[in-house]
Structures are given as C-alpha cells and as structure tokens.
C-alpha cells in the first residue's frame, strides 16, 4: 500500500482507497505514465514562465506531448520492426517473429485506417 496525491484536492490518499477521504473524488488516481507527463508539464509551466513568454511555453508543452505519444504509442511497432529486420542476421525464436509480424500488421492496419479517415475529412 502506498500514498498518492488526489488530483482534485491535492490531499494524500491511499492507493487502495475507493475514494478520496478529503473531497470524495472517486477518480483520484493518475496512471503512472500520465502522472509523469502531467508533472513535467506543470514543471515547465511553473519554472520556465519566469524566463520565456507564454506562447513559447505552450509550444514546448505541445511538443512534449507529441513526442511522448509518438514514442510511447509507437514503441511496439519500432521493436517489432527491429525484430523482423534482425531476423536475417540472427536466429530468433519463432515466438518473437510471430509477435513481430502481428504487431507490424496491426500498426500498418491502424495507420492505413487513420490515413483513410484523414483523407476523407479533407
């Protein structure tokens, strides 16, 4: 059991509690990755505001979000493609190749559907 911070009131809440004892918020927990991202953005907004104008800080925050999601969401695709590429040089177990084929096929299918959706909206 550990203690986390409530996203609504900032009070300390146990990770096993069903609601915040201070404000009653039921959805007070941050996921690990979004918590880190939120803290990074808050740090930039609080500390860099002394040195940079607000539009520049907004651009930095948008770039941080974009890089985070591009890297985070594409990591399985990058690893899967690397496994398929390495197969010609290294003898890999069949389970890795099956997983890599599956991941690459799913990502290519998702990207083609997103591309088709974007093209239909333009």
């Amino acid at each position: 059991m550990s203690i986390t911070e409530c996203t609504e009131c900032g009070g300390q809440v146990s990770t096993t509690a069903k609601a915040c004892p201070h404000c009653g918020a039921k959805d007070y927990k941050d996921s690990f990755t979004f918590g880190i991202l939120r803290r990074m953005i808050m740090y930039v907004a609080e500390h860099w505001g002394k040195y940079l104008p607000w539009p520049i800080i907004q651009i930095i925050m948008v770039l941080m979000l974009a890089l985070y999601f591009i890297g985070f969401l594409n990591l399985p695709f990058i690893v899967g493609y690397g496994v398929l590429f390495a197969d010609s040089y290294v003898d890999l177990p069949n389970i890795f190749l099956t997983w890599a084929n599956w991941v690459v096929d799913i990502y290519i299918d998702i990207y083609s559907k997103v591309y088709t959706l974007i093209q239909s909206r333009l």
Side-chain angles (χ1 to χ4, degrees):
M1 179 173 91
S2 63
I3 302 294
T4 187
E5 186 177 295
C6 176
T7 57
E8 295 293 322
C9 70
Q12 292 187 348
V13 184
S14 168
T15 55
T16 59
K18 296 191 188 263
C20 175
H22 307 288
C23 67
K26 294 189 189 290
D27 188 24
Y28 61 86
K29 297 178 189 171
D30 276 344
S31 70
F32 179 71
T33 54
F34 286 120
I36 291 173
L37 185 63
R38 183 176 59 86
R39 286 190 290 277
M40 283 174 33
I41 289 173
M42 292 304 294
Y43 179 83
V44 168
E46 291 172 2
H47 296 288
W48 290 12
K50 302 172 194 172
Y51 311 108
L52 297 171
W54 183 244
I56 301 295
I57 292 174
Q58 287 177 326
I59 291 171
I60 291 171
M61 285 189 221
V62 167
L63 288 174
M64 286 171 59
L65 283 170
L67 290 174
Y68 174 80
F69 282 112
I70 288 169
F72 181 70
L73 295 177
N74 288 321
L75 188 60
F77 177 70
I78 294 166
V79 171
Y81 197 76
V83 166
L84 292 178
F85 182 74
D87 181 45
S88 58
Y89 300 104
V90 180
D91 189 25
L92 294 170
N94 193 29
I95 187 121
F96 289 131
L97 297 175
T98 304
W99 174 83
N101 280 318
W102 177 73
V103 167
V104 170
D105 287 345
I106 286 175
Y107 271 83
I108 289 174
D109 186 45
I110 289 170
Y111 289 143
S112 64
K113 288 182 181 180
V114 167
Y115 178 76
T116 305
L117 180 67
I118 291 171
Q119 288 294 339
S120 68
R121 300 287 181 193
L122 295 179

